[in-house]
Amino acid sequence: MPGKSTNSVRCIAVTGPTGVGKTSLVQGLRSAATGAFQSGASEAHQSVEIDVKAIEFMGDHYAVIDTPGAIDFSADMDFALPGADLAIVVVDADPAKAVLAHPFLKELERLCVPRVLFVNKIDQAEGGARDLLEAFQPFSTAPLVARELPIWRGDKIVGFVDLALERAYVFRPGRPSERTDIPAEIAQIEADARFHMLEQLADYDDALMEQLLSDVVPPTDAVFADLRRETQEGLIAPVFFGAASQGFGLRRLLKSLRHDTPDPKIAAARLGLEGPGAYVMKITHSGQAGKIAVARALNAPLQDSAELTLSDGSRGRASALFSLRDGAMKKAPQAAEGEVVAIGKLDPVARGDLLSANAPARPRVVAPARFPVFQLAIATTDRKDDVRLSGALSKLVEEDPGLSVVHDPHSNEVLLLGQGEPHLRLVLDHLKKRFGVEVTSGRPATPYRETIRKGAAQRGRHKKQTGGHGQFADVMIEIKPLARGEGFRFVDKITGGAVPRQWIPAVEQGARDAMEKGPLGFPVVDVEVTLVDGAFHAVDSSELAFRIAGRVAMSEALPGCDPVVLDPIEKLIVYTPSWGTPKINSAVSSRNGQILGFETRADWPGWDQIEVCLSHAERQDFISELRSLTQGLATFHASFSHMAELSGRRAEEAIKRAKPAH
């Protein structure tokens, strides 16, 4: 059979939005493959990471990867999808939810991974198949080709017609569908649907087009050959219908996958791997096993203890190889070509690595950027756990491409940056349960600053007499505000040696010391300090004395310069379906933000790109509101824009919070 793999394992990614039944589909496919149907299987939980299941069907072996659907956790699939031979995009049988599939279809198109759609929960559908296809088509550049025609009985779908075979089947809960005659009342509808399918295939096959124009019925084998080739090349996206929890339509889907899933060597070539090797889909840390690379063997079987070249050019040995069958790791002597396995004790391996057995290093696969949209400040409940926390966070960041950790030098906070509040709550759960580190968490401090509205002149003197040499320094400074964003400027106007040259930098440092926390409790910015005069003592003056004098002068001057709080303003580029734009505009306005403008999102039909200015404090939980307004679809990229004066109640509250630490 062309395209059938005998000794290799083909890899299928099951992807799509949350709540559509991806895990049910994976469970159902495993049941259908063995004939042991389990009617009523349902989603056990929301997937938060990829999960690999092994399936054997009619002598063929598959690694099926169940991927997270929620945007909070979808970064975990970013490195899994490039290594798949084909993806099943699971969608809901509701035209109103068609847009939810768009990000998944878009990413698969970018990666050039062949794909099929499985319309799940078809037993609950209220509209026709044509309505569904018309709703989904705008979100796929490849034509959606219906492989099946649902059979209705009253207001329920009870079976389907395979348009390639022209055979009808009736669903039977918990058992394989039963073949039946095509109902007479839909015979013409079936004929029209099949002809439309052939027309779509003929767009990429001149011979088939000529047959259709000549009213010649194409051979069934030729139709299947076209379906196989055009699916594998990503020219079309076939569409199947079923109900995973009832076992409806799954065996037919398996048979299509058996024919149409490309050979693993095609994925290897797409990744750029030449010769035997493997592709790393995920990194995890597993108790005594240590660091584990979840990888797919490509172009040849992968042997235990094989020596491999990593993407950074280093060499390592796969000194421990584990199969991933049935959710458990089991020591294995080798991995079949195409199999997804766990490789232990291979460092410094990273996700996206192409491991080469006998060729030069290959560039690491780069996933799409995942910008952090939510933050938490964390601290250990016991300071003795700080070192353990650092090690645990390092491992979690290595595992999770959507997570990053930074240390804020001004607030001295450790910040978790992630894809949403549920994402970071999961990270906290991992810290506690996997690594035994208890932490407290909360909203990060807003990095307010302060500046001055008017200038002043101020003398600063430091004089201290103890036994022996004393301390003496005297400086006169003038300060004035600078334009927003200019930072700090120090000007030396000393003449006649009033302050010796070697001690002038100490005066500047003293002024900087005073600016670390101004009279309102925040770091001071956008100020110019000019040293205009001073005095020294030949014996008692020193660098330290002039530094203290500079700090005294600055500290005493700032309160009289009309200080004001500065609010950090960020520029957000928000990506949303167009129907969500008015809602987002209202949300931004309610948060005292500013809409800078919007335009259509390039290469994303039906989506907008909105530019927004929003204060850092208001941006903290903005992502939760965005997603509630857009069925979980909207996201943004934030970057610092400028500082703006803060007044009124918000300024008073900010100062009040800062005072205890002042």
Side-chain angles (χ1 to χ4, degrees):
M1 180 185 297
K4 180 182 179 181
S5 182
T6 53
N7 298 317
S8 60
V9 178
R10 286 178 288 178
C11 181
I12 306 226
V14 178
T15 187
T18 188
V20 294
K22 295 184 297 298
T23 300
S24 286
L25 178 61
V26 174
Q27 294 171 347
L29 289 174
R30 297 187 79 191
S31 296
T34 62
F37 290 93
Q38 296 178 352
S39 179
S42 61
E43 292 285 313
H45 60 276
Q46 181 187 61
S47 298
V48 296
E49 61 181 342
I50 65 170
D51 185 25
V52 183
K53 300 293 185 184
I55 292 180
E56 182 180 349
F57 178 64
M58 298 182 71
D60 287 344
H61 295 271
Y62 302 88
V64 179
I65 304 177
D66 186 4
T67 66
I71 192 171
D72 296 88
F73 307 109
S74 57
D76 200 57
M77 74 176 180
D78 288 345
F79 290 92
L81 294 182
D85 299 317
L86 179 140
I88 303 173
V89 182
V90 187
V91 297
D92 201 292
D94 181 354
K97 297 180 179 179
V99 67
L100 300 180
H102 195 183
F104 302 92
L105 291 168
K106 190 72 177 176
E107 179 61 6
L108 292 168
E109 290 170 0
R110 184 187 75 84
L111 294 170
C112 299
V113 174
R115 55 217 162 269
V116 303
L117 267 69
F118 182 76
V119 182
N120 198 16
K121 306 176 185 178
I122 196 66
D123 53 334
Q124 302 172 24
E126 296 183 357
R130 179 178 298 179
D131 294 335
L132 283 167
L133 292 176
E134 289 178 351
F136 283 103
Q137 186 60 73
F139 307 120
S140 172
T141 57
L144 301 181
V145 177
R147 286 288 307 269
E148 299 165 346
L149 176 69
I151 299 174
W152 290 79
R153 183 175 297 158
D155 60 351
K156 295 292 183 182
I157 291 176
V158 296
F160 64 94
V161 179
D162 184 312
L163 294 177
L165 289 171
E166 290 195 285
R167 295 176 183 172
Y169 297 86
V170 175
F171 294 140
R172 297 190 300 172
R175 293 183 293 167
S177 299
E178 182 179 29
R179 186 174 173 181
T180 186
D181 295 331
I182 297 176
E185 63 270 19
I186 67 166
Q188 186 57 50
I189 298 175
E190 185 277 333
D192 293 343
R194 186 173 195 272
F195 188 78
H196 180 60
M197 179 191 76
L198 296 176
E199 284 183 314
Q200 290 178 296
L201 298 179
D203 286 338
Y204 307 98
D205 184 345
D206 292 341
L208 177 59
M209 178 63 76
E210 186 174 342
Q211 288 175 324
L212 296 181
L213 292 174
S214 303
D215 291 328
V216 174
V217 178
T220 301
D221 287 349
V223 173
F224 276 110
D226 268 358
L227 284 167
R228 180 182 306 113
R229 178 182 64 82
E230 294 177 19
T231 299
Q232 292 185 354
E233 294 179 8
L235 300 175
I236 62 171
V239 181
F240 298 86
F241 303 90
S245 63
Q246 301 297 320
F248 295 164
L250 303 188
R251 193 170 179 85
R252 180 54 47 188
L253 176 61
L254 279 169
K255 288 185 176 180
S256 174
L257 297 176
R258 183 169 181 263
H259 287 270
D260 300 341
T261 303
D263 188 271
K265 286 183 170 57
I266 295 178
R270 187 177 65 238
L271 289 166
L273 184 64
E274 301 171 359
Y279 167 66
V280 179
M281 296 178 166
K282 182 178 177 64
I283 296 294
T284 186
H285 292 82
S286 177
Q288 294 181 347
K291 183 175 177 179
I292 296 291
V294 178
R296 188 179 187 212
L298 292 169
N299 286 335
L302 178 65
Q303 305 296 328
D304 189 19
S305 300
E307 192 172 356
L308 300 165
T309 301
L310 281 63
S311 289
D312 65 358
S314 63
R315 297 282 286 177
R317 187 176 296 278
S319 55
L321 204 63
F322 303 92
S323 70
L324 295 176
R325 290 180 176 270
D326 300 320
M329 293 200 308
K330 184 179 180 181
K331 199 77 166 61
Q334 74 168 26
E337 179 187 6
E339 187 176 359
V340 178
V341 294
I343 306 174
K345 303 178 182 178
L346 184 65
D347 222 15
V349 68
R351 55 182 176 257
D353 266 355
L354 287 170
L355 312 177
S356 178
N358 56 12
R362 307 302 303 170
R364 182 173 293 153
V365 171
V366 178
R370 294 272 182 179
F371 300 108
V373 295
F374 191 78
Q375 302 177 358
L376 281 178
I378 64 170
T380 55
T381 56
D382 187 338
R383 292 299 301 272
K384 292 185 295 186
D385 287 338
D386 283 355
V387 174
R388 293 175 60 204
L389 173 63
S390 177
L393 289 176
S394 176
K395 291 177 181 178
L396 289 173
V397 168
E398 193 173 25
E399 292 179 357
D400 187 346
L403 176 68
S404 55
V405 178
V406 299
H407 177 262
D408 188 326
H410 295 291
S411 65
N412 202 32
E413 292 178 323
V414 175
L415 302 180
L416 295 181
L417 283 64
Q419 304 305 305
E421 185 173 6
H423 177 213
L424 295 189
R425 293 298 172 192
L426 179 67
V427 172
L428 298 182
D429 189 60
H430 284 328
L431 285 173
K432 180 178 180 179
K433 295 181 179 178
R434 289 178 53 191
F435 299 99
V437 180
E438 293 273 2
V439 299
T440 59
S441 64
R443 190 183 181 105
T446 299
Y448 293 113
R449 298 292 183 265
E450 61 181 271
T451 191
I452 57 175
R453 288 179 171 146
K454 65 181 183 180
Q458 181 67 45
R459 180 173 296 278
R461 173 179 289 225
H462 176 62
K463 182 177 181 181
K464 186 175 182 181
Q465 189 64 47
T466 58
H469 290 306
Q471 297 180 34
F472 178 81
D474 189 300
V475 298
M476 182 69 182
I477 63 171
E478 295 176 351
I479 66 175
K480 68 177 183 179
L482 293 176
R484 196 74 66 241
E486 290 195 34
F488 173 75
R489 184 186 304 150
F490 183 80
V491 180
D492 170 19
K493 287 190 176 181
I494 290 296
T495 59
V499 177
R501 308 306 305 172
Q502 70 269 26
W503 291 330
I504 290 177
V507 179
E508 177 181 352
Q509 186 56 54
R512 289 180 179 273
D513 291 344
M515 292 172 63
E516 289 182 2
K517 184 165 287 188
L520 302 182
F522 307 105
V524 180
V525 296
D526 302 335
V527 172
E528 179 181 279
V529 176
T530 303
L531 178 60
V532 295
D533 198 6
F536 71 100
H537 188 277
V539 175
D540 293 343
S541 290
S542 65
E543 180 180 355
L544 177 60
F546 273 98
R547 180 171 178 173
I548 294 173
R551 186 177 71 233
V552 169
M554 193 70 177
S555 296
E556 293 181 354
L558 286 172
C561 294
D562 195 10
V564 61
V565 179
L566 293 179
D567 190 15
I569 304 298
E570 297 180 336
K571 180 180 178 181
L572 275 60
I573 301 177
V574 182
Y575 304 103
T576 176
S578 299
W579 49 262
T581 298
K583 301 177 184 179
I584 292 173
N585 289 345
S586 297
V588 171
S589 298
S590 70
R591 291 172 178 262
N592 299 310
Q594 180 184 6
I595 306 293
L596 302 179
F598 74 94
E599 57 187 355
T600 57
R601 186 178 183 184
D603 299 322
W604 282 69
W607 284 64
D608 286 341
Q609 177 176 310
I610 314 170
E611 290 192 8
V612 170
C613 271
L614 201 63
S615 73
H616 178 276
E618 290 290 346
R619 194 269 291 175
Q620 294 277 44
D621 59 353
F622 185 47
I623 189 63
S624 300
E625 184 176 7
L626 273 188
R627 288 179 177 162
S628 69
L629 294 173
T630 60
Q631 299 183 52
L633 288 170
T635 190
F636 62 75
H637 172 214
S639 59
F640 175 75
S641 176
H642 63 281
M643 304 296 289
E645 288 189 16
L646 187 66
S647 59
R649 179 179 55 83
R650 289 183 58 208
E652 293 172 0
E653 291 175 351
I655 295 169
K656 184 178 180 180
R657 286 193 297 269
K659 283 298 183 182
H662 181 49

